[in-house]
Each structure stands twice: as C-alpha cells, then as structure tokens.
Amino acid sequence: MALSAGSRAGLALLGLVCLSSLCFCTARGDGHSLSYNVTITPKPRAGDSWCEIQGHVDGNVFLSYNRGGSKVQSVSPLAEMVKATNAWGTQAETLRDIGDLLKEQLPDVTPENHTARDPLTLQVTVTCQCEDSGRTSGSWQFGFNGQMCLHFDSEDGHWTVVHPAGRRMKEKWENDRAVTSFFKRVSMGDCRAWLQDFLVHWQKMLKTTASPTTAPPAAPSRATALKPIAWIITWILPMVLTYFIITGILSWVLYRNRPQDIRPRNPQSAVPSR
C-alpha cells in the first residue's frame, strides 16, 4: 500500500526525532571511573614513604595507601561503604604489587639525560572506566616530576609517547610481555572488577547532586562562570541544529511528494498532424 505524502513526511519526522533523542540520551549517560594515582620516590625524605597511592572514584578521593603501611586507609564515606567487601581486601595486594614493580623497573626507564643528583619522582595513574552501556575501558599514564610522558591503552596495547622523556620507557616496556600483561590485567581485570563490586554500594550516593567528599567552593571560580556557556554549547546548539535539519528534510519530502498538475492538456495539442 502506497503511503501518502503526509504519511511519508510524518514517518520521516518521527525517525529524526527518535534519532535525535537517542543521541541526547547517550550524551547524558552517567558512566563511572575508578583510578589510582601512584607516586614513586626512590629516595624519600626521612619519615616519608617511597610509594604513595590515592584511589579516586569519579575524581573524588576515597582511599590512601603507602607501601610502608599494611592496610588501605579509607578517607571518605564512599570507602566506609565498601570496606567489608572482598574487593576492598584484594586492593592492598594489587597496589603493593604495582608499587614493587614500578620501583623495580624505574632504573631501566629513567630518562637518559637524568643525573643522579637531580631528585626524580615517578607519577603513574591507572584508570578503568565503565560506561552506562556496560563497556569498560582502561589505561595507564606515566610521568616524571609532574610531566606526563607516556600513555598506554590497555584495550589495544598501544603505547603513545607524550614527552621525549617517555621514549626509553616505551622502548623498554612495549617489548616486555610480562610488564604489558601486568598492566592490562590490573586495568582491565582487577580495576574493572573492583569498580563493578563497589558500584553496587555506591550507586545511590554517586547519583546525589553534591559529592560527600567535595567541599563547596568559597567563591565562584572561572570554571563555574563558564558553565552556562558550556551548557549552551552542549544542549542548545545541538537542539537548534536538529530543528533546522528536521525542517529542511521535511520540506524536501513535502516538495518531492507535492500533487502534480492534473489539468487536461490543450485539446489542439492532442490532434495528430496530418
């Protein structure tokens, strides 16, 4: 059965509305991330630990650990909620292994132009992120003295040198299966399992408008002042663009399906010439 011009236009409009709604719903999805910031100081000051680690959920600190201590310390209500889980207990072992491996590998990946008299600190961040679709990704970042030098994508095993100081590190690790496998296992295995276990307890708290570990700012910052602009760019402009696209396509459909001129032709034109 052939559809009328109005029906076809209505279906086209419905399809575009559904497509735009799907895009906006995906943009508003709330994924969660779990990350651990590791600091390795080969020659710490008296009383300081050579390995310090902070755990973050969605950017908020929830635990701390140092290689000199025997337990992971909770520093937020989020941590208190999951201290009784098995995942909390396995963290300490893995975090200890991370610190030991990085300290062991540090002499071999130190930049060539580094001198022994200069203090050197290795900063590492391991992250796993779970999207609302269920897809999980993982990565590592490595840097010296605050300068990020190397990025490792745990999904495809790709190494990216961000700063020349990371070249030696990349050359050493990209051909070391044991190290690469360890990085993948921690970010795509351990970290992902912890995040999934923790989210069971964290879902309600993470959905609150204000984070319990984030204090309200004393004065509006530049980032806060820019929020309305970011909101306009993120939501208003795409909606306006979608409106014009829908209007243009709808006009084109109506034009293509406009009623044809059905008036009879000039009778004289129908008389065959002799």
Side-chain angles (χ1 to χ4, degrees):
M1 180 177 65
L3 295 175
S4 64
S7 298
R8 284 192 289 267
L11 289 176
L13 178 60
L14 178 61
L16 287 172
V17 171
C18 292
L19 179 61
S20 61
S21 299
L22 178 62
C23 292
F24 286 127
C25 288
T26 302
R28 289 194 297 264
D30 64 348
H32 298 286
S33 65
L34 182 63
S35 62
Y36 298 87
N37 293 342
V38 185
T39 302
I40 304 294
T41 307
K43 298 179 180 180
R45 298 177 180 177
D48 293 341
S49 174
W50 60 266
C51 175
E52 296 183 353
I53 301 177
Q54 279 191 340
H56 300 254
V57 55
D58 292 348
N60 299 311
V61 179
F62 76 101
L63 69 82
S64 65
Y65 172 81
N66 66 74
R67 191 61 182 86
S70 58
K71 294 182 180 180
V72 176
Q73 302 295 323
S74 63
V75 295
S76 78
L78 286 170
E80 292 297 326
M81 293 179 66
V82 297
K83 284 183 65 174
T85 63
N86 293 331
W88 181 266
T90 60
Q91 281 183 120
E93 299 178 5
T94 303
L95 296 180
R96 180 195 61 200
D97 294 340
I98 291 174
D100 291 345
L101 174 68
L102 294 175
K103 183 180 180 181
E104 177 186 348
Q105 294 285 320
L106 185 56
D108 295 330
V109 299
T110 301
E112 297 179 355
N113 59 354
H114 173 73
T115 59
R117 62 183 179 182
D118 296 329
L120 182 69
T121 301
L122 173 66
Q123 287 96 20
V124 179
T125 299
V126 53
T127 302
C128 61
Q129 184 169 348
C130 179
E131 301 174 2
D132 58 343
S133 62
R135 179 178 177 273
T136 305
S137 59
S139 65
W140 289 72
Q141 292 183 351
F142 306 89
F144 292 106
N145 295 344
Q147 172 65 58
M148 193 181 84
C149 304
L150 185 66
H151 178 272
F152 175 67
D153 190 320
S154 302
E155 290 186 275
D156 57 20
H158 183 69
W159 297 88
T160 303
V161 176
V162 182
H163 186 273
R167 290 176 181 171
R168 188 180 181 189
M169 189 183 297
K170 175 179 179 294
E171 295 173 356
K172 176 67 170 60
W173 284 343
E174 69 176 346
N175 296 318
D176 192 326
R177 291 186 178 182
V179 173
T180 301
S181 298
F182 176 80
F183 289 154
K184 287 184 176 181
R185 176 179 64 81
V186 171
S187 56
M188 297 298 291
D190 297 335
C191 184
R192 178 172 59 178
W194 300 336
L195 178 58
Q196 291 174 346
D197 288 345
F198 292 160
L199 283 178
V200 175
H201 305 274
W202 286 345
Q203 286 290 356
K204 292 183 179 180
M205 185 174 290
L206 291 177
K207 287 182 180 179
T208 57
T209 55
S211 171
T213 58
T214 304
S221 63
R222 177 176 175 82
T224 304
L226 292 178
K227 281 185 178 180
I229 298 177
W231 184 82
I232 292 175
I233 295 176
T234 304
W235 298 109
I236 300 300
L237 291 183
M239 293 177 65
V240 173
L241 180 61
T242 302
Y243 169 78
F244 282 110
I245 293 175
I246 293 175
T247 302
I249 295 179
L250 184 58
S251 300
W252 179 81
V253 171
L254 293 175
Y255 173 78
R256 288 293 301 271
N257 294 277
R258 71 189 186 282
Q260 301 295 325
D261 190 356
I262 58 175
R263 292 179 300 174
R265 295 178 298 175
N266 188 343
Q268 296 181 357
S269 64
V271 177
S273 60
R274 295 182 180 180

